């Protein structure tokens, strides 16, 4: 059959999909490494997700990234789910092997690799972590920090019950903090992460007092538009080390590319500039 002879296809599925940066990232790697393959943005309506995933292999797809609103549904439809994806409750990297659908989550990996890249001396086990927000992205961040050895994780979310559910699902030394007193949780913190949508272009800023944070704490944001969010500006003004959120997006793409196209891709400044629309 001609399909089996085609070069491998991959892509990103979402609804809507036009904002996804994944085609830029994978496209740059395909070109850089001279890989015969394709990676495209594919709009898949929620009601079409199951038929898309079931037919993908026959259409020549080796895998897809899943983005909003498919991350949870893709997990539920998969034949095999990695323990980490199950714990996070969402899949962003789907592979097709024969007629089997395999679901993984690489957001936790992307989060940690970004910190290793941006702050090589940073260690999760050097002290308590503070995580602000308990939405979808927070689940991967919390799992990453706990698994990397954070001795204590202080989780604050506007809606407290959501933080409590997250803490139960992920497990580990997590204490839930009330949102209005989150600033107190900065005392002794080694790592401070914004996972809320506050500070994103068009959203109000995250206004949190960082004065109680130790001088050597690291602050990072999962928001990357703008690259330096008001929260990171605040952290910088306080003298803390900061790592922006773009690298999480770039690094989470690596395992999928490697699995689908057989090359270990690199994240570098050229790719960062390309994704920011500053060159290439
Ligand atoms: P994502 O999947 O990107 O994390 P999400 O699930 O909608 O998106 O979560 C958004 C996060 O930002 C949540 O933690 C949300 O808090 P609630 O759970 O209370 O909704 C947080 N957030 C959004 N707007 C906020 C605001 N104005 N003040 C405080 N937190 C806010």
């Amino acid at each position: 059959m001609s399909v089996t002879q085609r070069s491998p296809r991959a892509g990103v599925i979402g609804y809507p999909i036009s904002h996804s940066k994944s085609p830029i990232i994978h496209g740059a790697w395909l070109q850089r490494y001279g890989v015969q393959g394709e990676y495209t943005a594919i709009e898949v309506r929620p009601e079409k997700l199951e038929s898309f995933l079931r037919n993908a292999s026959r259409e020549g797809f080796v895998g897809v990234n899943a983005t909003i609103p498919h991350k949870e549904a893709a997990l539920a439809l998969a034949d095999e789910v990695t323990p980490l994806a199950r714990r996070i409750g969402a899949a962003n990297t789907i592979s097709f092997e024969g007629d089997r659908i395999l679901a993984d989550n690489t957001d936790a990996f992307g989060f940690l690799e970004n910190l290793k890249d941006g702050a090589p001396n940073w260690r999760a086990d050097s002290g308590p972590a503070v995580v602000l927000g308990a939405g979808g992205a927070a689940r991967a961040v919390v799992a990453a920090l706990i698994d990397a050895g954070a001795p204590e994780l202080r989780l604050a979310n506007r809606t407290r019950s959501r933080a409590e559910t997250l803490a139960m699902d992920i497990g580990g030394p997590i204490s839930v903090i009330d949102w209005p007193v989150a600033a107190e949780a900065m005392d002794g913190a080694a790592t401070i992460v914004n996972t809320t949508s506050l500070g994103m272009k068009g959203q109000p800023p995250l206004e949190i007092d960082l004065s109680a944070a130790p001088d050597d704490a690291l602050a990072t944001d999962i928001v990357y538009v703008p690259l330096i969010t008001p929260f990171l500006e605040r952290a910088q003004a306080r003298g803390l080390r900061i790592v922006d959120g773009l690298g999480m997006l770039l690094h989470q793409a690596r395992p999928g590319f490697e699995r689908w196209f057989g090359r270990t891709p690199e994240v570098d400044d050229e790719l960062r500039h390309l994704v920011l629309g500053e060159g290439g």
Side-chain angles (χ1 to χ4, degrees), residues 68 132-138 156-160 162 179 195-198 200 203-204 206 222:
I68 294 169
L132 304 166
N157 192 51
R158 177 179 61 177
T159 310
R160 186 184 163 100
R162 224 175 161 195
W179 182 252
T195 75
T196 75
S197 46
L198 294 173
M200 196 183 287
Q203 300 281 327
L206 169 62
I222 65 152

Side-chain angles (χ1 to χ4, degrees), residues 74-258:
L75 183 96
L77 289 166
D79 300 302
E80 221 173 281
V81 176
T82 61
L84 180 62
R86 172 86 58 211
R87 203 156 129 245
I88 293 170
N92 72 331
T93 304
I94 320 285
S95 300
F96 306 110
E97 283 186 4
D99 57 2
R100 292 181 67 72
I101 302 167
L102 317 178
D104 195 5
N105 189 306
T106 67
D107 286 330
F109 170 82
F111 174 76
L112 288 179
E113 289 293 302
N114 184 37
L115 291 190
K116 280 188 205 165
D117 234 13
N121 297 328
W122 172 85
R123 291 179 56 108
D125 60 5
S126 65
V130 178
V131 175
L132 304 166
R139 301 177 70 90
V141 168
V142 170
L145 288 167
I146 295 288
D147 292 354
E152 180 193 342
L153 192 144
R154 304 164 184 168
L155 181 62
N157 192 51
R158 177 179 61 177
T159 310
R160 186 184 163 100
S161 59
R162 224 175 161 195
E164 281 164 354
T165 304
L166 191 161
M168 291 266 287
D169 290 349
I170 305 293
I174 305 172
S175 49
V176 173
I177 312 284
D178 282 329
W179 182 252
V181 294
E184 292 168 23
M186 303 301 164
D187 191 11
T191 315
I192 305 163
V193 191
N194 175 43
T195 75
T196 75
S197 46
L198 294 173
M200 196 183 287
K201 194 175 161 197
Q203 300 281 327
L206 169 62
E207 287 174 332
I208 185 127
D209 182 1
L210 296 171
S211 55
D215 292 345
D216 59 354
L218 175 104
T220 185
D221 204 323
I222 65 152
V223 173
Y224 59 88
V225 180
L227 201 53
I228 304 299
T229 59
F231 165 69
L232 292 178
E233 272 173 7
R234 209 172 247 265
Q236 223 165 12
R238 164 71 189 79
L240 308 184
R241 286 177 296 166
I242 65 162
V243 176
D244 70 62
L246 180 64
M248 179 175 174
L249 172 78
L250 304 179
H251 285 283
Q252 63 77 32
R254 283 170 43 205
F257 189 89
E258 182 165 1

